[in-house]
């Protein structure tokens, strides 16, 4: 029985409807959080989704500028527990709460909490946008299922017009993880959500592909040292955060340091709990094995780089079914040393997915999850992902690829 047939015969299955939402028909007046919607179909879709969220207390999948989210009322235990069920998400992995205004943020905060000065700068520079900030949580407002009992709650104000309008119309903060089964790559197109969660979610709002293509940057600025700790690199780059913190510095004022988890600090206690995104659980892995090809960085001590031509030709030896070629997905830049090599065809069939020019790291970010999910759908046997430069969006790209890859190979071109 196919998965689709199995799901529709199961008592848990529900009909999934994909409702069109045209982001360019939604606008916000300057300094207003009220959406103006010019397209009747988009308005109908948003009203129906809002009804699903508020009156039925059911989750809805919706586009954000980073990835698609699976949202439900952050104030309801029953609504948020359905997110965990649909994703198969472990209960100790907390959710990000999405707001559409600073007034909505206020409702979530612990009484008496004063927003630290660096947060004001980050909010001014990046909200609405791909930055998530940790705040002390108020368990009287946000149930502990959302925060996994942590003393903090992660909050972000998305910039995607459909996400902003949906939250504003529903008039409730939405807890929303990425709209994928736990452990899979995050969806960046409505068809990714449908393929993964059909029968498990009632409504998917189709707002087209996501601009950023990987998740928000998660930042903790609550430490007593006043520094900014980046728990997960993402859509807002470290370079952008450093620049924002330097704005309007007056003489004698200290600029907070920006410390990146895994690069500048580690925290054993945190790594044992899932508060560092992607630490405890398997992440971002398609159903197909992924190999990371390190083509820029030198190999670690005692590891030898393999010649690129030999590595590619030897892939045919992985073939288990000699009646057909071994299908290899290649997620690579268009102008890298690897992309210049002729691809061997003996016993191999190649499926390329472009990561754009090696200097366009925003394009690489937009292409990564889309590429993994597209190549998985195309039925390849193995996906090769080429290393990108670890600056700007490249840091987040490499963070996700390392977690998705079961194997890493160092490749040389001489
Ligand atoms: O761009 C995004 O952030 C997307 C869109 C939908 O907004 N959301 C997203 O959610 O990526 P999710 O659940 O896939 O990843 C959020 C990560 C979780 O892995 C969790 O570990 C971390 O944020 N997180 C949530 N609350 C936290 C907290 N209080 N402290 C530390 N980390 C937290
Ligand atoms: Mg996720």
């Amino acid at each position: 029985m196919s998965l689709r047939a199995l799901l529709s015969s199961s008592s848990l299955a529900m009909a999934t409807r994909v409702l069109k939402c045209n982001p360019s028909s939604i606008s916000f007046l300057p300094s207003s959080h009220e959406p103006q919607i010019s397209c009747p179909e988009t308005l109908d879709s948003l009203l129906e989704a809002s009804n699903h969220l508020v009156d039925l207390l059911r989750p809805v999948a919706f586009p954000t500028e980073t990835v698609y989210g699976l949202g439900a009322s952050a104030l309801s235990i029953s609504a948020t527990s359905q997110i965990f069920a649909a994703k198969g998400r472990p209960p100790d992995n907390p959710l990000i709460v999405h707001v559409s205004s600073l007034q909505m943020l206020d409702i979530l905060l612990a009484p008496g909490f004063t927003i630290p000065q660096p947060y004001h700068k980050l909010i001014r520079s990046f909200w609405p946008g791909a930055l998530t900030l940790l705040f002390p949580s108020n368990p009287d407002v946000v149930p502990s299922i959302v925060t996994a009992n942590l003393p903090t709650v992660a909050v972000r104000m998305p910039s995607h017009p459909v996400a902003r309008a949906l939250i504003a119309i529903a008039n409730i903060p939405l807890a929303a993880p990425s709209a994928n089964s736990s452990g899979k790559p995050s969806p960046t197109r409505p068809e990714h959500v449908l393929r993964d969660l059909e029968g498990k979610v009632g409504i998917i709002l189709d707002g087209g592909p996501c601009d950023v293509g990987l998740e928000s940057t998660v930042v903790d600025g609550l430490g007593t040292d006043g520094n900014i700790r980046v728990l997960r690199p993402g859509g807002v780059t470290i370079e952008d955060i450093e620049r924002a913190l330097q704005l309007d510095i007056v003489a004698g004022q200290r600029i907070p340091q920006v410390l990146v988890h895994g690069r500048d600090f580690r925290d054993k206690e945190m790594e044992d709990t899932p508060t560092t995104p992607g630490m405890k659980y398997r992440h971002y892995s398609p159903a197909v094995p992924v190999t990371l090809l390190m083509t820029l960085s030198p190999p670690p001590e005692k590891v030898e780089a393999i010649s690129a031509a030999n590595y590619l030709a030897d892939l045919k030896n992985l073939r288990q079914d000699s009646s057909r070629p071994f299908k290899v997905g290649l997620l690579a830049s268009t102008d890298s040393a690897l992309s210049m090599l002729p691809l061997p065809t003996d016993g191999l069939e190649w499926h390329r997915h472009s990561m754009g020019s090696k200097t366009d790291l925003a394009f690489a970010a937009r292409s990564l999850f889309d590429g993994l999910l597209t190549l998985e759908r195309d039925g390849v046997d193995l996906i090769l992902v080429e290393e990108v430069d670890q600056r700007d969006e490249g840091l987040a790209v490499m963070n996700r690829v390392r977690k998705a890859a079961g194997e890493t190979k160092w490749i040389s071109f001489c």
Side-chain angles (χ1 to χ4, degrees), residues 153-320:
V153 59
V155 184
R156 122 173 159 86
M157 188 189 290
S159 64
H160 194 290
V162 172
R164 274 182 82 184
L166 179 65
I167 303 166
I169 292 171
N171 199 21
I172 40 169
L174 296 183
S178 48
N180 53 285
S181 301
S182 225
K184 293 282 171 207
S186 300
T188 62
R189 296 175 182 273
E191 54 269 31
H192 297 156
V193 183
L194 186 65
R195 209 176 321 126
D196 189 1
L197 296 182
E198 184 169 20
K200 296 183 179 174
V201 54
I203 292 180
I204 300 170
L205 291 181
D206 173 356
C210 302
D211 262 3
V212 177
L214 44 72
E215 306 88 340
S216 62
T217 307
V218 179
V219 160
D220 178 359
L222 299 176
T224 46
D225 60 4
N227 288 330
I228 294 293
R229 287 181 172 70
V230 175
L231 305 187
R232 175 178 73 179
V236 170
T237 68
I238 308 304
E239 292 85 342
D240 287 338
I241 293 176
E242 284 171 340
R243 269 191 292 274
L245 292 171
Q246 282 162 16
L247 294 175
D248 308 328
I249 284 290
V250 291
Q253 207 178 0
R254 176 179 173 270
I255 304 173
Q257 273 183 281
V258 181
L259 305 170
V260 181
H261 179 263
R263 186 187 79 178
D264 306 319
F265 76 101
R266 297 208 80 101
D267 182 330
K268 173 82 180 83
E269 194 185 329
M270 190 170 78
E271 286 164 21
D272 288 343
T273 63
T275 58
T276 309
M279 270 296 133
K280 186 173 164 192
Y281 296 110
R282 195 170 161 73
H283 258 71
Y284 315 120
S285 304
V288 181
V290 175
T291 298
L292 166 59
L293 300 183
M294 301 296 280
T295 50
L296 304 171
S297 312
E301 234 181 289
K302 298 197 182 128
V303 175
E304 259 196 52
I306 317 164
S307 120
N310 290 349
Y311 175 75
L312 296 178
D314 285 350
L315 287 171
K316 65 175 180 300
N317 300 329
L318 297 174
R319 177 161 69 156
Q320 285 176 350

Side-chain angles (χ1 to χ4, degrees), residues 64 66-69 89 93-96 98 132 134 150 152-154 156 176-178 215-216 218 231-232 274-275 277:
T64 82
T66 57
V67 300
Y68 270 71
R89 185 179 177 101
N93 199 355
L95 306 178
I96 294 174
H98 297 65
T132 295
L134 297 198
L150 290 170
T152 53
V153 59
R156 122 173 159 86
S178 48
E215 306 88 340
S216 62
V218 179
L231 305 187
R232 175 178 73 179
T275 58

